[in-house]
Amino acid sequence: TARNDILPVLFPPQMSGEWNVAVAEFSAQEDQAVSQNKAKQMSNVFFTKFNSEIENLADEAGIAIQVLDPAATGLINGSTPEERAAKANAVAGKYNADVVIYGTIVSSEDLLSFTPEFYVDIHNMYEAEEMVGQHSLGEKIILLGGNLEEQSQVQLDRELSRRSKLMALVTKGLSLYFGGFFTDAYQLFQEANRDENWPDESGREVMHLFTGNAANRSRQAEVAQDFYLKALGVDDQYARAYIGLGHAQFAQALAGACSQDFQIDSELLDAALGNFIKAESADNKPPSADISAKSAFGKGQVYITKYYSGEKSAFSDSQEQFQMVIDEYIKTDNERIKELASEAHARLGLLARQQGDLESAAASYEKG
């Protein structure tokens, strides 16, 4: 028995599926009435239901999804979302997980609340950057009575079952999204986003965001905008939604860019710029969202388009924004924005080439 306890620590179970998910032990906040043993029981109930849903979805789609159980994954705790996200990131690297699912339980004499969270750990996907990092899954689960033994097990199981089904749909949708199957991912996110799955709008902004991202990547820019606006209707300080809305408006503004006269919708272009700026000042922007780099890249995209449309003064603005992305990557060595920095080097190379500075252009492309 002692050897079995030691081996997982010495030799972490590296997952090798096409899509890997680690479900951690839920954390009972310190000085709370709920013991860690009770929290562990809740995580095991969630895992059992989640794993069953995943197996069904995986069989339907023919994709190998490997799931690591809470005992193997271990505990993810922390007093803030940022602390928990940092630990989830470490767990993802340790076990080769694409998604890490965890949660926090807070209790008092009168109520118990459970907040489910998940962390997406995909590197070098700048087109999908709004998926990466820490997210919450819906509103808190709140039960009357602080002592878990006094809870209605039926009520608790029902809520954990509903949340596990949503998480399974989201996980499967993410696997399709990062595999480039954007239309299929959009359909799964839509299924998870149905009104009957959400008693109210609290916490639904993440689901609106994911659905909007998949719509945008499947060339439905107008549909995507609607979902981003729904996300902002739930939380008008949701920086990720402003970034997504800016990208959707940018894509729609360029809808006529392939025509001989390079038609650009200047109003949509300015709207995109405005939303990239709003993202920077929004309150809801966890560190793993990397909003400053994403906003700078988005603004750079707008300015370079303005330059190509004849607005010569936008040249230096574009250079400045792309350099900001590169500087942030150099300063932080942040793997999440590595490909974004590479793309920024490529844009600087393009700008230098337009100025006839081929030596600088070549150097930028090489750095990229």
Side-chain angles (χ1 to χ4, degrees):
T1 302
R3 182 174 176 80
N4 289 336
D5 290 341
I6 294 171
L7 282 176
V9 177
L10 296 178
F11 305 102
Q14 285 279 320
M15 291 184 283
S16 57
E18 294 178 76
W19 189 253
N20 300 318
V21 184
V23 180
E25 292 180 10
F26 298 155
S27 169
Q29 293 289 71
E30 294 182 5
D31 302 323
Q32 300 295 331
V34 174
S35 70
Q36 189 56 51
N37 284 336
K38 295 297 184 183
K40 186 182 295 187
Q41 290 177 15
M42 287 179 64
S43 62
N44 288 333
V45 169
F46 178 93
F47 168 77
T48 300
K49 297 178 182 295
F50 172 79
N51 194 46
S52 177
E53 294 283 351
I54 280 293
E55 286 178 351
N56 292 335
L57 286 171
D59 289 341
E60 292 172 8
I63 185 172
I65 301 178
Q66 188 172 351
V67 184
L68 197 64
D69 62 58
T73 303
L75 177 68
I76 291 180
N77 56 13
S79 58
T80 67
E82 291 76 22
E83 288 180 7
R84 295 190 293 273
K87 292 183 179 180
N89 178 58
V91 166
K94 183 178 181 180
Y95 299 127
N96 190 36
D98 300 300
V99 178
V100 180
I101 302 170
Y102 50 104
T104 303
I105 301 168
V106 177
S107 64
S108 66
E109 293 183 0
D110 299 322
L111 62 83
L112 175 146
S113 67
F114 166 59
T115 303
E117 298 173 295
F118 63 103
Y119 188 91
V120 183
D121 185 53
I122 298 293
H123 298 155
N124 295 339
M125 276 289 287
Y126 89 93
E127 299 96 336
E129 68 268 19
E130 282 318 302
M131 301 293 203
V132 176
Q134 179 268 339
H135 304 272
S136 296
L137 181 65
E139 76 286 0
K140 294 180 180 179
I141 296 174
I142 299 179
L143 302 173
L144 295 177
N147 189 335
L148 189 58
E149 295 179 349
E150 297 174 359
Q151 304 311 308
S152 164
Q153 194 63 45
V154 173
Q155 181 187 4
L156 179 59
D157 284 356
R158 184 173 61 248
E159 285 300 317
L160 288 175
S161 179
R162 181 176 73 87
R163 214 57 70 92
S164 66
K165 182 178 180 180
L166 284 176
M167 194 66 241
L169 288 168
V170 168
T171 300
K172 182 64 182 71
L174 286 169
S175 72
L176 292 169
Y177 189 99
F178 285 103
F181 302 101
F182 302 116
T183 301
D184 293 334
Y186 173 65
Q187 292 173 351
L188 272 176
F189 291 144
Q190 270 194 312
E191 184 177 348
N193 204 15
R194 289 185 302 180
D195 290 343
E196 53 263 38
N197 291 330
W198 298 87
D200 56 51
E201 288 293 293
S202 177
R204 194 174 176 179
E205 66 274 11
V206 174
M207 203 65 256
H208 289 319
L209 174 78
F210 281 18
T211 311
N213 286 351
N216 196 33
R217 294 292 291 159
S218 55
R219 302 184 184 279
Q220 303 178 72
E222 289 188 41
V223 173
Q225 289 182 60
D226 289 339
F227 281 106
Y228 294 133
L229 289 171
K230 287 180 181 179
L232 291 169
V234 178
D235 180 1
D236 63 1
Q237 295 297 310
Y238 192 28
R240 291 181 187 268
Y242 282 117
I243 294 290
L245 183 57
H247 283 310
Q249 291 170 331
F250 179 76
Q252 198 174 0
L254 267 63
C258 293
S259 60
Q260 292 182 347
D261 53 358
F262 195 68
Q263 289 293 325
I264 297 293
D265 189 323
S266 59
E267 289 186 5
L268 277 172
L269 203 60
D270 288 336
L273 179 63
N275 281 307
F276 291 134
I277 293 172
K278 287 179 181 177
E280 294 174 322
S281 59
D283 293 335
N284 184 357
K285 51 181 178 185
S288 62
D290 303 311
I291 294 301
S292 59
K294 295 170 186 174
S295 175
F297 188 84
K299 289 189 291 184
Q301 291 279 75
V302 171
Y303 287 133
I304 198 172
T305 303
K306 285 177 174 287
Y307 168 70
Y308 275 112
S309 300
E311 192 175 317
K312 301 304 180 185
S313 61
F315 180 88
S316 58
D317 292 329
S318 184
Q319 279 185 315
E320 180 183 3
Q321 295 301 321
F322 290 132
Q323 189 60 52
M324 285 175 65
V325 177
I326 295 166
D327 290 345
E328 182 164 342
Y329 174 67
I330 292 172
K331 180 175 66 176
T332 62
D333 196 27
N334 180 354
E335 284 288 320
R336 291 189 301 270
I337 62 171
K338 185 176 183 178
E339 190 166 341
L340 202 67
S342 180
E343 292 288 341
H345 276 299
R347 301 302 192 277
L348 290 180
L350 182 60
L351 288 168
R353 183 169 177 264
Q354 290 298 311
Q355 295 293 300
D357 187 353
L358 301 184
E359 185 176 350
S360 294
S364 289
Y365 284 126
E366 287 173 355
K367 288 177 181 177

